[in-house]
């Protein structure tokens, strides 16, 4: 079987400089969570995986810290400060690409997190014969023209109308020249209009409903997009050594040995934290609190779990229950179970009835059986917002 032909090279600009006020809240929508990650992260990662090089993210003045947090764990992009309008922001991105002078460039809205590869392929194919190409969808509803009085003034021919999506694709030299020639007013609705105003033809290719733009709060919370519940699991192991404190479930225990690690090595809270992060698809404890970072040396693991719970909340989920199993020969967990359960419930804002803490041994088999370490396994259930 022959491998598919590689896509022609292209650069990409992701426009993320808007305020996104219609989605509600104080955080611009491009930085809001959708399916466990920011809208911006979804858009950038999809373009990176498709081969966009270079890839620029255009942001508002003063938004660099928010953008880097939203793109945590993703590399291969550069940030560019945009302007007061969308057209000015795109122009800034295009000018920043001049050193690389790509043949083709995609311009994409950060608020469109899903980008099917088939749309990318259709756009690049269209650029072989046109200086610009945009994905579109037919208008399926009847359309009415409105009067100033709020009454129907006539009908529009939906057969000649299309819904326009992004990414919009262009030959770089043509779209750069078009933006340089743009008079500045009125503000351009999109980049296809800028190219068309300069006389460039824009091909229409088939879009995709998955390219829907996130505009309102209900788009972030749409239950067809956000599952009603999720399940995550976590597993962690730490060595037992002399001279260390022993922390389990946020409780300090008296024992001859303690757990070794960069933080307080609370293997139980680490397992629960990884389970929560796994349920929302947002990496693991090492992603958010790398052991190479000295600020987490000796840190209490309770803050790691609280951070994971906060991320779950931002993704539209609340914890439903926790089922934790601690695996060790010693110390005995039973006497400490009530205090452990109460502390985990406090850290996660759960009722104690939703927190299960169990302990078992491995019948003196393996490293836990030899008393060399402690292991923990956790399963959590998350509930989507109603």
């Amino acid at each position: 079987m022959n491998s598919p032909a590689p896509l022609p090279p292209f650069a990409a600009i992701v426009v993320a400089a808007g305020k996104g006020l219609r989605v509600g809240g104080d955080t611009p929508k491009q930085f809001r969570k959708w399916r466990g990650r920011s809208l911006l992260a979804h858009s950038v990662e999809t373009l990176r995986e498709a081969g966009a090089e270079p890839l620029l993210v255009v942001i508002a003045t003063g938004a660099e810290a928010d953008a880097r947090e939203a793109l945590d764990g993703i590399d291969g992009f550069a940030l560019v400060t945009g302007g007061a309008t969308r057209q000015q922001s795109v122009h800034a991105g295009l000018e920043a690409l001049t050193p690389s002078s790509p043949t083709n460039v995609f311009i994409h809205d950060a608020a469109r997190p899903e980008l099917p590869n088939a749309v990318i392929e259709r756009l690049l194919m269209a650029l072989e014969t046109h200086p610009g190409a945009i994905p579109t969808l037919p208008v399926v509803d009847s359309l009415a023209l409105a009067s100033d009085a709020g009454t129907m003034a006539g009908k529009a021919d939906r057969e000649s109308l299309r819904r326009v999506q992004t990414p919009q694709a262009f030959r770089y030299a043509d779209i750069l020249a078009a933006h340089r020639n743009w008079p500045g007013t009125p503000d351009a609705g999109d980049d296809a209009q800028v190219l068309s105003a300069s006389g460039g033809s824009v091909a229409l290719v088939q879009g995709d409903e998955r390219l829907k733009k996130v505009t309102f709060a209900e788009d972030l919370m749409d239950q067809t997009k956000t599952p009603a519940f999720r399940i995550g699991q976590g597993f962690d192991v730490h060595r037992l050594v002399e001279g260390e404190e022993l922390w389990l479930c946020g409780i300090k225990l008296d024992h001859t040995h303690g757990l070794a690690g960069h933080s307080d090595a609370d293997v139980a809270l680490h397992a629960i934290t990884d389970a929560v992060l796994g349920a929302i698809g947002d990496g693991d404890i090492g992603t958010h609190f790398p052991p190479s970072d000295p600020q987490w040396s000796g840190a209490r693991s309770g803050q790691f779990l609280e951070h994971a719970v906060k991320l779950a909340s931002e993704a539209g989920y609340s914890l439903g229950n926790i089922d934790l199993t601690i695996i060790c020969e010693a110390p005995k967990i039973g006497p400490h179970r009530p205090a452990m359960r109460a502390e985990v419930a406090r850290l996660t804002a759960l009722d104690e009835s939703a927190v299960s803490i169990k302990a078992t041994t491995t019948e003196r088999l393996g490293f836990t059986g030899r008393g060399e370490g402690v292991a923990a396994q956790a399963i959590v259930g998350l509930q989507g917002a109603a």
Side-chain angles (χ1 to χ4, degrees):
M1 181 179 297
N2 294 329
S3 301
L7 295 175
F10 66 98
I13 295 171
V14 178
V15 186
K19 296 180 179 179
L21 299 179
R22 285 179 291 178
V23 82
D26 298 326
T27 303
K29 68 181 174 183
Q30 60 268 30
F31 304 140
R32 297 279 291 274
K33 291 296 181 69
W34 181 86
R35 295 189 182 180
R37 308 182 70 191
S38 69
L39 290 171
L40 180 59
H42 284 283
S43 302
V44 170
E45 191 158 67
T46 300
L47 287 165
R48 285 290 300 147
E49 291 175 352
E53 176 62 38
L55 194 160
L56 305 183
V57 179
V58 183
I59 60 173
T61 301
E64 181 174 350
D66 289 334
R68 293 199 180 280
E69 181 179 355
L71 293 169
D72 185 46
I74 301 175
D75 56 15
F77 67 90
L79 299 179
V80 175
T81 300
T85 67
R86 185 185 188 283
Q87 185 272 326
Q88 291 172 2
S89 293
V90 173
H91 188 188
L94 291 169
E95 294 290 355
L97 284 174
T98 53
S100 57
S101 188
T103 301
N104 301 317
V105 61
F106 280 26
I107 302 171
H108 189 46
D109 293 333
R112 298 182 190 269
E114 288 193 272
L115 176 52
N117 283 331
V119 175
I120 295 175
E121 294 173 3
R122 289 194 285 267
L123 290 168
L124 288 171
M125 186 176 299
L127 290 183
E128 295 178 1
T129 54
H130 295 79
I134 58 175
T136 65
L137 290 173
V139 176
V140 296
D141 296 319
S142 296
L143 298 174
L145 299 178
S147 69
D148 293 339
T151 59
M152 182 173 175
K155 69 173 186 177
D157 180 13
R158 68 184 181 188
E159 298 302 323
S160 62
L161 299 176
R162 296 293 185 271
R163 292 183 285 153
V164 178
Q165 301 177 311
T166 73
Q168 299 186 353
F170 305 93
R171 295 174 186 169
Y172 174 69
D174 293 278
I175 191 63
L176 176 61
H179 270 276
R180 286 174 173 174
N181 292 331
W182 184 256
T185 56
D187 185 27
D190 65 8
D191 302 289
Q193 295 178 23
V194 175
L195 181 66
S196 181
S198 289
S201 64
V202 180
L204 307 184
V205 307
Q206 180 183 346
D208 195 297
E209 290 289 356
R210 288 173 289 178
L211 270 170
K212 176 184 176 181
K213 186 176 183 179
V214 172
T215 304
F216 303 104
E218 54 264 33
D219 296 331
L220 288 171
M221 303 305 297
D222 185 352
Q223 292 301 300
T224 65
K225 300 293 186 182
T226 302
F229 66 90
R230 284 190 173 188
I231 297 173
Q233 68 169 356
F235 181 80
D236 198 27
V237 173
H238 280 282
R239 292 183 297 109
L240 282 168
V241 297
E242 291 188 48
E244 292 284 352
E245 295 180 345
L246 178 57
W247 289 84
L248 286 174
C249 293
I251 302 299
K252 183 180 178 183
L253 307 184
D254 290 330
H255 191 55
T256 58
H257 291 65
L259 293 171
H262 187 62
S263 63
D264 63 9
D266 190 327
V267 67
L269 293 188
H270 290 187
I272 299 173
T273 301
D274 270 351
V276 175
L277 294 173
I280 61 173
D282 198 359
D284 58 20
I285 195 169
T287 303
H288 297 269
F289 305 98
S292 59
D293 191 335
Q295 71 173 307
W296 307 122
S297 177
R300 292 287 171 257
S301 297
Q303 65 183 303
F304 303 162
L305 179 54
E306 289 175 325
H307 179 73
V309 172
K310 178 176 180 289
L311 292 178
S313 176
E314 292 174 351
Y317 292 94
S318 61
L319 266 68
N321 72 296
I322 297 171
D323 187 9
L324 172 72
T325 301
I326 301 173
I327 307 164
C328 63
E329 291 291 333
K332 296 298 183 183
I333 301 301
H336 308 286
R337 194 192 320 268
M340 291 179 172
R341 195 179 186 195
E343 179 63 9
V344 171
R346 184 190 70 81
L347 290 169
T348 57
L350 282 172
D351 189 274
E352 287 187 34
S353 63
V355 178
S356 170
I357 297 177
K358 306 186 299 291
T360 188
T361 70
T362 54
E363 299 295 334
R364 300 193 179 278
L365 297 174
F367 70 90
T368 58
R370 294 189 296 269
E372 297 172 357
V374 177
Q377 180 172 315
I379 297 175
V380 303
L382 302 186
Q383 300 169 335

